Amino acid sequence: MALSTPWRWPVRRRRVLVLNHFAAPRGEAGGTRHVELFSRLDGWEHLIIASNLNPQTGRRVGDSEGFVTVPVMGYSSNGISRILNWISYAAAAMLRGMRVGRVDVVYGSSPHLLAALAAWLLSIIKRVPFVLEVRDLWPKVLVDMNHLSTNSPIYRVLTALEEFLYARARTIVIMAEGSRTELVARGVAPHKIVYIPNGADPEDFVASAPREDLRLRYGFDRVTAVYAGAHGPANGLDLLLDGAEQAPNVDVVLVGGGVLKHGLQESAQARGLTNVRFMDPVPKSEIPDLLAAADIGVHVLADVELFRSAVSPNKVFDYMAAGRATLTNCPGIVSDLVMDSHAGLAVSPNEIGHGLDKLGSQTNEDLIAMGINGRAWISRNQSRSAMANLLNHALEDAISL
């Protein structure tokens, strides 16, 4: 098979090569954080190398401006096939990155550490600084979710790899302040750590049609709570089904995909949950219309201690930017954000039903007021543009040290 045409940088500006296995381009479901952040940088060219398999939709993803994909092995569970998926990405991204011309920084994003390791190797080959983005504290999060034992050889290998990468990164980008405490406790120098959380821009969440037209399009005819995101072990969507069962006055719509979706659908059917509906993943460009039609945006996570201090939930920021009242079951920083901004309601992990019932009983005016509060907070404190400015400074500092 013939090799594709090597990537050519259009002009000589500073250049950053980004490795993120799960990055998604605009127009696709999934995480568009890096496309949105790096496209806003001032004075930088970027190239993101991602998987050609979208884990939410299961569909293949093509290349676009500043975004290229590499082939990976598919997977359908959290077993050996998923590990092979990680390995195949790391190897393919390495080969693709070696064909890229001169760069000034290589930026590697977890959660899985093999992607970050590939980024570090490319930084050595290209003799440029390595910036590590810590999305989840691996392998700690796997232990907290009971997927891994601290006595296992895999844990010891991952811990050694984690500390190896921390030591060699010029800069470490964290997405939640709680990660800073953990990293410093592990011996990371505080000056290496830069906080750049997720964010959203309200101007990106303007609906394409009047709300009533959108409600007709999606079939929303009662108070409707939407969950838009991955259906995986960390998301705790079994708790959302429990909540829907306890709040029959609210329709719950789960939008997205993942390895647990089929099991969740079977569970909802077995329980006879007539107020629960599943939708296929939608492109990020359609999320504004979807949320404009809804009344409540739901953020759910499994009851894991680490999530209380070390998460940066993009779903919450999207709901707030879209002006939707937000419900979260994640204690700690996420609950504090929602309550302090008066953008919705925070409940304990197992009380989603109470939250749905309480928000579902609010007047439309009250829900609108919560949405307005959330949008105003995001605009002032955590827009994508503001986060891109922080990233710009972090990259500048990395190449100047």
Side-chain angles (χ1 to χ4, degrees), residues 237-243 245 266-274:
L237 294 179
D238 55 325
L239 300 175
L240 181 53
L241 295 188
D242 293 343
E245 190 168 14
E266 289 185 336
S267 176
Q269 184 175 11
R271 299 189 202 194
L273 299 181
T274 58

Side-chain angles (χ1 to χ4, degrees), residues 22-203:
F22 305 110
R26 291 188 178 95
E28 285 284 336
T32 59
R33 166 182 166 88
H34 286 132
V35 170
E36 294 176 8
L37 283 182
F38 283 93
S39 65
R40 286 174 163 87
L41 291 180
D42 182 25
W44 286 82
E45 299 287 345
H46 71 277
L47 179 65
I48 298 168
I49 302 178
S51 160
N52 72 341
L53 180 65
N54 186 313
Q56 281 203 36
T57 64
R59 296 192 299 264
R60 298 292 172 179
V61 179
D63 297 354
S64 56
E65 183 178 359
F67 188 99
V68 297
T69 61
V70 293
V72 297
M73 293 184 61
Y75 67 93
S76 58
S77 70
N78 284 318
I80 188 65
S81 63
R82 190 168 190 186
I83 295 173
L84 293 174
N85 173 262
W86 300 340
I87 293 171
S88 65
Y89 168 78
M94 267 284 297
L95 293 174
R96 188 67 179 85
M98 290 173 65
R99 294 172 51 220
V100 173
R102 183 159 49 95
V103 300
D104 298 279
V105 179
V106 180
Y107 188 104
S109 178
S110 64
H112 78 75
L113 297 174
L114 296 182
L117 178 63
W120 172 74
L121 288 169
L122 283 170
S123 77
I124 296 300
I125 293 169
K126 295 178 179 297
R127 299 182 180 181
V128 297
F130 165 55
V131 175
L132 171 65
E133 179 181 83
V134 177
R135 298 178 68 86
D136 291 317
L137 288 168
W138 275 42
K140 180 175 173 58
V141 68
L142 300 179
V143 173
D144 288 356
M145 293 179 64
N146 297 316
H147 293 326
L148 196 64
S149 166
T150 55
N151 296 320
S152 72
I154 294 176
Y155 174 81
R156 290 193 290 272
V157 169
L158 288 176
T159 299
L161 177 56
E162 176 192 29
E163 293 179 349
F164 177 91
L165 293 169
Y166 291 160
R168 283 152 183 80
R170 178 74 59 86
T171 300
I172 298 176
V173 173
I174 60 172
M175 297 170 60
E177 278 291 2
S179 299
R180 186 190 304 273
T181 303
E182 177 73 17
L183 293 180
V184 171
R186 299 282 296 276
V188 176
H191 72 268
K192 290 176 61 170
I193 303 171
V194 178
Y195 174 52
I196 307 177
N198 277 320
D201 286 304
E203 56 266 31

